[in-house]
Amino acid sequence: MAGLDERVEIDPVCGMKVKAKTAAGSMEHAGKTYHFCGKGCLAKFAAEPARFDGSAAKVEEPIVAGARYTCPMHPEVMVDRQMPCPKCGMALDRVGPAEVRVEFVCPMHPEIVRQEAGDCPICGMALERRTAVAGDEPNAELEAMTQRFWIGLALTLPLLMVMVVGLVPSYSLASLMESTWVPWAELALATPVVLWAGWPFFVRGWASIVNRSLNMFTLIAIGSGAAYVYSVVGVVAPGVFPASFRGSDGTLGLYFEAASVIIVLVLLGQVLELRARERTGGAIKALLGLAPKTARRIGKDGVEADVALEQVQVGDRLRVRPGEKVPVDGVVLEGGSSVDESMVSGEAVPVQKAVGGKVVGGTINGTGGLVIEAERVGAETLLARIVAMVGDAQRTRAPIQRLADVVASWFVPAVLLAAVITFVVWMMYGPAPHFAHALVNAVAVLIIACPCALGLATPMAIMVGVGKGAGQGILIRNAEALERFEKVDTLVIDKTGTLTEGKPRVTSIVAAEGFTEEQVLGVAAGLERASEHPLAGAVLAAAASRGVEARAVVGFASVTGQGVRGEVDGQKVGVGNEALLEGMGAAVPAELGAQVEGMRGGGETVLFVAVAGRFAGMLGVADPVKASTAEAIRELQGAGLKLLMLTGDNKTTAAAVAGKLGIDFEAGVSPEGKAAVVARLQGEGRVVAMAGDGVNDAPALAKADVGIAMGTGTDVAMETGGITLVHGDLRGILKARRLSHATMRNIRQNLVLAFVYNALGVPLAAGVLYPWTGMLLSPMIAAAAMSLSSVSVIGNALRLRAVKL
């Protein structure tokens, strides 16, 4: 047995094993001595001993909007909820919104994530916040680029005036231009433009070379830098240049104005691009702005007070007055009103809310007053999840972008080679001065061929398209789902909660001999109380309306595709279909067969109840088809989609619903069977989308080419689907399909614009037309064209905001 000093204790703060003899610190509390691995753990314990000694009640810390939790030993661990550290098991500490590390990501390369602002090592673009913030927070990159542009422009205008004066045929002006101080004045004006206003481009260009990831800034830095360095040497040491560098009159050409104008025009392009990119994030900012800053909380003593939204906890009672925004997701406890949910659902018609109804944070209350109980707060509210989903989706990459990536990876080296060939050809075969013509045309090739438009073509359209969808209640999980949806030709649809309202009600109760309707309903309600199935709510509502008490159930178990079972007063009970009854040794009496078929033929789902191996009775549950379903089905079929309804219901019930809607169906399908049907259709060469809202739909949603989760359903469905329809209306599928077509069409337009621009621009800059027309493309014109190409791509992407879905 180990001695006292050799015994091993557990540090109550971090859970590590500590020898009492070698512990870094000890403390006596409540008659017990605690030992610690380090001074930090000792300090934490001394400050809050009740938190670690087990005397305090274990209360899960509420999720707070904007808060994160980090490990004191592993600060790289940062999550949005309280949990043990996955590395060391220590309890995580909460850090407030001001302390949370802000992450920055590249808009073109989302795999590049940094803890501070900077430039992307791949493309050189400025990194952006991963998560948008509400309000008009200043864009530091835009402010810096704007300042550099205006100062650069002010210094460049005199250089352009010098160039224009030199072209005017006037003896007095010619004498002025021959003054020895003019080149030095040009040097003085151009130096701050190139070396200060254009410094970010040289930093990014150098980084691209060091990282061996050549990009647009490589070309800009080399092009403008070459013109500037050549001109500086021409002023400081003109004698080093041989005759081939000089004109027929022996003068040496200087290109300070070209270098400066290139920098200023690229800065202008950056400013316009940054402003346009800010507009692409407008959808997220609009969503963030929906959440109110405060809530009116009702205390346990009935006293009401306005509190910050971050202080609201699950279970709090909140008052929502007429015209106010609903602060968090919750359920109505008192009152009734119509609520405008258009901000998150895209539907303009207000939704009536009564006691028991669900409300969504950020929506606007109408003329009635409500008292709600908070169910989801902070990062768990629907609005917060939408913002997170949209932000993540805007950073994903569509498969079509691989084409642009492959081209871009070869493009810059090819442009550098084209510039070298242009320089050599003009040196060997061009007119005098050979070097000057070679330099100017090589620089023009470098500048006009910047591949920024090519790189922006896809991500800008994705950002705008995803944001557009969010405003219409269509949440796109990733760009791949948006692209795939365009090619979908088959739509598989779940019945309950997708085609139907998902708000079934019990329409009939049949009790077997020896049982009463109240007994049948009480057993069914007791079992369904723990079930997530849409029909469970109908059973519980029927029991409540009849004053029937739900029986206490132990050993509850859900049998996928069959029903639920457990024990009541020591007797095994179950509620479900025929397969569940057979598994419990019970069977539906033959004389009830016709009645069962009649109920199903009327569109009812029949739930059978078994008690102690005997058939106890059955419940008929009707779930009416949504009012919008028939119209949506017709439009989907008109769009060329093949529709197939899948359901776990009996064939007769399914046929009644499918017959009303005029679609094909398969009934009695298990969750695994739904996924198998999707796989079978895919094997036939079809591109399949699956729409569903329940846990039982998750396998099929994951298997489908595009999973469409109805937002009125379960979290599992929303997490599995590639697209989520907030309103749960099939017409949203039509909107999503139109959005997919519009976005992909926009991407293709952007790629064509970028490819055609570069295909035409490079030969023109190289001077292919010079032998026939004598025309050369100035580097300044090339810089303007390059900037306008990027702006045109972004402007085309922004047109998606006006698309009607």
Side-chain angles (χ1 to χ4, degrees):
M1 184 174 178
L4 177 64
D5 291 340
E6 294 297 325
R7 74 178 189 275
V8 176
E9 301 283 351
I10 301 296
D11 185 323
V13 177
C14 67
M16 292 181 62
K17 293 181 179 180
V18 183
K19 284 186 178 182
K21 180 180 178 179
T22 58
S26 302
M27 177 179 171
E28 186 174 343
H29 171 69
K32 182 178 178 180
T33 301
Y34 296 90
H35 302 274
F36 305 92
C37 66
K39 298 295 185 183
C41 289
L42 173 59
K44 283 179 176 288
F45 186 87
E48 298 179 272
R51 177 182 174 189
F52 303 105
D53 68 354
S55 62
K58 298 280 186 183
V59 179
E60 183 176 353
E61 188 170 353
I63 296 174
V64 179
R68 292 290 187 92
Y69 300 82
T70 185
C71 176
M73 293 181 63
H74 300 93
E76 68 275 13
V77 174
M78 182 73 73
V79 296
D80 62 359
R81 66 189 65 217
Q82 178 63 272
M83 60 181 285
C85 174
K87 292 190 174 183
C88 67
M90 286 184 67
L92 302 185
D93 292 333
R94 197 181 93 194
V95 293
E99 302 170 83
V100 174
R101 291 196 304 265
V102 178
E103 291 183 337
F104 295 84
V105 63
C106 174
M108 286 173 57
H109 301 90
E111 67 274 16
I112 301 299
V113 180
R114 296 289 185 267
Q115 299 301 323
E116 56 185 19
D119 301 325
C120 174
I122 298 177
C123 66
M125 290 184 67
L127 303 182
E128 299 176 344
R129 278 179 176 266
R130 179 188 285 277
T131 305
V133 293
D136 299 322
E137 183 178 87
N139 184 325
E141 175 75 4
L142 175 58
E143 288 183 350
M145 287 293 180
T146 302
Q147 182 185 41
R148 292 176 188 273
F149 165 73
W150 286 114
I151 294 177
L153 177 63
L155 295 173
T156 300
L157 288 176
L159 289 171
L160 289 175
M161 292 176 62
V162 171
M163 181 186 70
V164 172
V165 167
L167 297 175
V168 176
S170 167
Y171 177 77
S172 59
L173 291 175
S175 301
L176 175 64
M177 293 302 300
E178 291 174 1
S179 302
T180 56
W181 61 268
V182 172
W184 289 97
E186 289 185 284
L187 173 60
L189 290 169
T191 297
V193 176
V194 176
L195 298 186
W196 177 77
W199 184 250
F201 305 146
F202 292 101
V203 171
R204 296 174 185 181
W206 175 251
S208 70
I209 296 172
V210 172
N211 294 321
R212 287 179 293 212
S213 179
L214 305 182
N215 53 51
M216 60 173 284
F217 296 105
T218 314
L219 305 180
I220 293 170
I222 293 175
S224 58
Y228 174 74
V229 171
Y230 168 79
S231 301
V232 170
V233 176
V235 173
V236 177
V240 303
F241 293 102
S244 61
F245 285 66
R246 303 175 184 274
S248 56
D249 57 355
T251 59
L252 190 65
L254 301 178
Y255 300 99
F256 286 120
E257 75 284 347
S260 299
V261 170
I262 288 171
I263 293 296
V264 169
L265 288 174
V266 174
L267 282 169
L268 176 61
Q270 290 287 293
V271 169
L272 295 176
E273 179 184 318
L274 287 166
R275 285 181 178 173
R277 273 169 39 204
E278 275 203 330
R279 293 175 64 193
T280 64
I284 295 186
K285 289 191 175 184
L287 287 171
L288 285 167
L290 296 178
K293 301 296 185 289
T294 61
R296 191 163 187 82
R297 184 165 60 191
I298 304 173
K300 294 181 179 179
D301 56 1
V303 176
E304 300 183 13
D306 290 330
V307 298
L309 193 62
E310 292 78 10
Q311 297 178 18
V312 176
Q313 300 182 12
V314 173
D316 282 351
R317 289 193 307 150
L318 308 171
R319 183 175 300 280
V320 186
R321 290 166 292 196
E324 289 185 335
K325 290 183 178 180
V326 178
V328 296
D329 296 359
V331 60
V332 178
L333 298 178
E334 300 175 18
S337 183
S338 61
V339 178
D340 181 358
E341 297 184 340
S342 61
M343 295 80 72
V344 293
S345 70
E347 296 295 328
V349 180
V351 180
Q352 293 296 321
K353 302 292 180 181
V355 174
K358 302 286 186 178
V359 290
V360 177
T363 56
I364 301 176
N365 185 26
T367 56
L370 299 173
V371 174
I372 68 171
E373 179 181 331
E375 290 189 327
R376 297 190 181 200
V377 301
E380 292 301 302
T381 63
L382 177 62
L383 182 60
R385 292 164 66 200
I386 289 174
V387 170
M389 186 183 293
V390 173
D392 290 342
Q394 288 185 331
R395 304 299 184 197
T396 58
R397 298 163 71 82
I400 195 173
Q401 192 168 343
R402 294 171 191 153
L403 171 64
D405 290 343
V406 170
V407 173
S409 65
W410 289 96
F411 193 76
V412 176
V415 170
L416 290 172
L417 179 61
V420 171
I421 293 173
T422 299
F423 183 87
V424 171
V425 170
W426 278 92
M427 275 292 291
M428 295 177 61
Y429 305 106
H434 304 292
F435 184 87
H437 280 97
L439 176 65
V440 169
N441 289 303
V443 168
V445 169
L446 290 173
I447 298 302
I448 201 170
C450 287
C452 46
L454 185 62
L456 291 169
T458 299
M460 289 298 106
I462 292 296
M463 287 186 72
V464 179
V466 169
K468 173 72 174 180
Q472 296 287 315
I474 304 165
L475 307 184
I476 312 296
R477 179 166 293 280
N478 53 58
E480 185 175 2
L482 191 62
E483 179 175 339
R484 281 185 176 182
F485 201 25
E486 181 193 36
K487 301 178 178 66
V488 166
D489 54 27
T490 302
L491 177 61
V492 177
I493 315 173
D494 171 55
K495 179 177 75 70
T496 305
T498 304
L499 294 175
T500 62
E501 291 181 357
K503 297 177 181 178
R505 60 182 181 274
V506 174
T507 53
S508 59
I509 303 176
V510 177
E513 186 177 349
F515 296 91
T516 66
E517 291 185 359
E518 286 73 18
Q519 288 175 319
V520 172
L521 185 57
V523 169
L527 283 166
E528 297 290 10
R529 186 162 49 189
S531 174
E532 85 291 337
H533 197 278
L535 300 184
V539 176
L540 292 170
S545 65
R546 294 190 177 208
V548 175
E549 183 180 355
R551 302 294 298 275
V553 176
V554 297
F556 173 86
S558 176
V559 184
T560 304
Q562 295 184 17
V564 293
R565 61 189 181 190
E567 288 186 13
V568 173
D569 296 333
Q571 294 182 317
K572 293 184 177 180
V573 296
V575 176
N577 56 22
E578 289 97 328
L580 182 77
L581 261 66
E582 290 175 5
M584 298 183 67
V588 181
E591 61 269 20
L592 293 178
Q595 184 177 358
V596 170
E597 286 303 303
M599 293 167 67
R600 288 171 171 167
E604 289 181 304
T605 298
V606 181
L607 300 177
F608 299 105
V609 181
V611 176
R614 295 174 55 200
F615 172 75
M618 57 188 181
L619 307 175
V621 183
D623 186 10
V625 173
K626 293 177 182 177
S628 61
T629 295
E631 178 189 353
I633 291 293
R634 288 194 297 270
E635 293 189 20
L636 287 166
Q637 290 173 329
L641 289 175
K642 172 182 173 60
L643 271 62
L644 175 65
M645 182 184 82
L646 294 183
T647 179
D649 262 350
N650 180 274
K651 183 177 180 180
T652 305
T653 304
V657 175
K660 293 178 182 177
L661 300 174
I663 58 176
D664 296 331
F665 72 95
E666 292 188 25
V669 186
S670 67
E672 294 76 14
K674 291 182 180 181
V677 171
V678 171
R680 185 190 75 210
L681 293 170
Q682 290 172 327
E684 296 172 359
R686 296 187 173 276
V687 182
V688 183
M690 166 71 190
D693 73 332
V695 173
N696 60 333
D697 299 317
L701 289 171
K703 181 64 179 176
D705 295 284
V706 180
I708 305 171
M710 313 305 282
T712 50
T714 64
D715 291 347
V716 174
M718 293 182 69
E719 291 298 323
T720 308
I723 297 175
T724 296
L725 305 180
V726 175
H727 197 258
D729 190 327
L730 275 185
R731 289 175 295 187
I733 297 179
L734 281 167
K735 291 183 179 180
R737 183 175 173 83
R738 292 171 186 144
L739 177 65
S740 174
H741 279 286
T743 303
M744 295 311 300
R745 182 169 59 248
N746 191 276
I747 287 174
R748 294 188 185 99
Q749 291 169 350
N750 285 345
L751 289 173
V752 168
L753 279 173
F755 280 126
V756 169
Y757 160 78
N758 283 294
L760 296 177
V762 172
L764 287 175
V768 294
L769 297 180
Y770 182 79
W772 299 278
T773 65
M775 186 185 79
L776 291 176
L777 193 65
S778 164
M780 294 180 286
I781 302 300
M786 183 272 292
S787 297
L788 288 175
S789 69
S790 298
V791 175
S792 66
V793 164
I794 296 174
N796 188 53
L798 287 172
R799 289 194 309 111
L800 281 171
R801 300 172 71 181
V803 170
K804 292 184 178 180
L805 301 181

Short mmCIF file of all heavy atoms in Angstrom, two decimals, residues 61-69 80 94 97 310-312 377-379:
data_model
loop_
_atom_site.label_atom_id
_atom_site.label_comp_id
_atom_site.label_asym_id
_atom_site.label_seq_id
_atom_site.Cartn_x
_atom_site.Cartn_y
_atom_site.Cartn_z
N GLU A 61 -24.51 25.36 -18.75
CA GLU A 61 -24.43 26.80 -19.01
C GLU A 61 -25.18 27.13 -20.28
O GLU A 61 -25.05 26.42 -21.28
CB GLU A 61 -22.96 27.20 -19.16
CG GLU A 61 -22.78 28.69 -19.23
CD GLU A 61 -21.31 29.06 -19.13
OE1 GLU A 61 -20.49 28.19 -18.87
OE2 GLU A 61 -21.01 30.24 -19.32
N PRO A 62 -26.01 28.15 -20.26
CA PRO A 62 -26.80 28.46 -21.45
C PRO A 62 -25.91 28.92 -22.58
O PRO A 62 -24.86 29.51 -22.37
CB PRO A 62 -27.71 29.60 -20.98
CG PRO A 62 -26.96 30.23 -19.85
CD PRO A 62 -26.24 29.11 -19.17
N ILE A 63 -26.36 28.62 -23.80
CA ILE A 63 -25.63 29.08 -24.98
C ILE A 63 -25.88 30.56 -25.14
O ILE A 63 -27.02 31.02 -25.13
CB ILE A 63 -26.09 28.30 -26.22
CG1 ILE A 63 -25.74 26.81 -26.04
CG2 ILE A 63 -25.46 28.86 -27.47
CD1 ILE A 63 -26.28 25.94 -27.15
N VAL A 64 -24.83 31.33 -25.26
CA VAL A 64 -24.93 32.78 -25.37
C VAL A 64 -24.49 33.20 -26.76
O VAL A 64 -23.46 32.74 -27.25
CB VAL A 64 -24.04 33.46 -24.30
CG1 VAL A 64 -24.12 34.97 -24.44
CG2 VAL A 64 -24.48 33.03 -22.91
N ALA A 65 -25.29 34.05 -27.40
CA ALA A 65 -24.96 34.50 -28.74
C ALA A 65 -23.59 35.15 -28.77
O ALA A 65 -23.30 36.03 -27.99
CB ALA A 65 -26.02 35.50 -29.23
N GLY A 66 -22.74 34.68 -29.67
CA GLY A 66 -21.42 35.28 -29.84
C GLY A 66 -20.38 34.73 -28.89
O GLY A 66 -19.20 35.02 -29.06
N ALA A 67 -20.78 33.98 -27.86
CA ALA A 67 -19.80 33.48 -26.89
C ALA A 67 -19.13 32.21 -27.42
O ALA A 67 -19.72 31.45 -28.17
CB ALA A 67 -20.46 33.21 -25.56
N ARG A 68 -17.92 32.00 -27.00
CA ARG A 68 -17.18 30.78 -27.33
C ARG A 68 -16.55 30.25 -26.06
O ARG A 68 -16.46 30.93 -25.05
CB ARG A 68 -16.10 31.08 -28.38
CG ARG A 68 -16.64 31.45 -29.76
CD ARG A 68 -17.27 30.26 -30.46
NE ARG A 68 -17.63 30.57 -31.83
CZ ARG A 68 -16.85 30.36 -32.87
NH1 ARG A 68 -15.65 29.86 -32.70
NH2 ARG A 68 -17.25 30.67 -34.08
N TYR A 69 -16.11 29.01 -26.14
CA TYR A 69 -15.50 28.35 -25.00
C TYR A 69 -14.13 27.83 -25.43
O TYR A 69 -13.99 27.23 -26.49
CB TYR A 69 -16.39 27.20 -24.52
CG TYR A 69 -17.75 27.66 -24.08
CD1 TYR A 69 -18.76 27.89 -25.01
CD2 TYR A 69 -18.03 27.91 -22.74
CE1 TYR A 69 -20.01 28.35 -24.62
CE2 TYR A 69 -19.29 28.35 -22.33
CZ TYR A 69 -20.26 28.58 -23.28
OH TYR A 69 -21.49 29.03 -22.89
N ASP A 80 -18.50 26.48 -29.57
CA ASP A 80 -19.58 27.40 -29.25
C ASP A 80 -20.45 26.93 -28.09
O ASP A 80 -21.52 27.47 -27.86
CB ASP A 80 -20.46 27.66 -30.48
CG ASP A 80 -21.13 26.39 -30.97
OD1 ASP A 80 -20.89 25.32 -30.38
OD2 ASP A 80 -21.90 26.48 -31.96
N ARG A 94 -15.57 30.08 -20.67
CA ARG A 94 -16.28 30.89 -21.64
C ARG A 94 -15.57 32.20 -21.84
O ARG A 94 -15.11 32.83 -20.88
CB ARG A 94 -17.71 31.15 -21.18
CG ARG A 94 -18.61 31.62 -22.33
CD ARG A 94 -19.99 31.90 -21.85
NE ARG A 94 -20.12 33.31 -21.50
CZ ARG A 94 -21.12 33.79 -20.80
NH1 ARG A 94 -22.06 33.00 -20.35
NH2 ARG A 94 -21.19 35.08 -20.52
N PRO A 97 -17.93 37.74 -26.39
CA PRO A 97 -17.80 38.07 -27.80
C PRO A 97 -16.57 38.90 -28.11
O PRO A 97 -15.95 38.75 -29.15
CB PRO A 97 -19.08 38.86 -28.10
CG PRO A 97 -20.05 38.38 -27.05
CD PRO A 97 -19.22 38.10 -25.83
N GLU A 310 -28.31 38.67 -25.00
CA GLU A 310 -27.33 37.68 -24.57
C GLU A 310 -27.66 37.09 -23.20
O GLU A 310 -27.16 36.02 -22.84
CB GLU A 310 -25.92 38.29 -24.53
CG GLU A 310 -25.34 38.64 -25.89
CD GLU A 310 -25.91 39.94 -26.45
OE1 GLU A 310 -26.62 40.66 -25.68
OE2 GLU A 310 -25.66 40.23 -27.65
N GLN A 311 -28.51 37.78 -22.42
CA GLN A 311 -28.84 37.32 -21.08
C GLN A 311 -30.04 36.39 -21.05
O GLN A 311 -30.35 35.79 -20.02
CB GLN A 311 -29.11 38.53 -20.16
CG GLN A 311 -27.90 39.43 -19.97
CD GLN A 311 -28.23 40.64 -19.09
OE1 GLN A 311 -29.21 40.64 -18.37
NE2 GLN A 311 -27.39 41.66 -19.17
N VAL A 312 -30.73 36.25 -22.17
CA VAL A 312 -31.90 35.38 -22.22
C VAL A 312 -31.46 33.92 -22.18
O VAL A 312 -30.53 33.52 -22.90
CB VAL A 312 -32.73 35.65 -23.49
CG1 VAL A 312 -33.90 34.66 -23.58
CG2 VAL A 312 -33.24 37.08 -23.48
N VAL A 377 -31.82 29.74 -27.79
CA VAL A 377 -31.22 31.06 -27.66
C VAL A 377 -29.84 31.05 -28.28
O VAL A 377 -29.26 29.99 -28.55
CB VAL A 377 -31.14 31.49 -26.18
CG1 VAL A 377 -32.51 31.52 -25.54
CG2 VAL A 377 -30.23 30.54 -25.40
N GLY A 378 -29.30 32.25 -28.48
CA GLY A 378 -27.93 32.37 -28.96
C GLY A 378 -27.71 31.68 -30.29
O GLY A 378 -28.47 31.83 -31.24
N ALA A 379 -26.65 30.89 -30.35
CA ALA A 379 -26.25 30.23 -31.59
C ALA A 379 -27.20 29.13 -32.02
O ALA A 379 -27.09 28.61 -33.12
CB ALA A 379 -24.84 29.65 -31.43
#
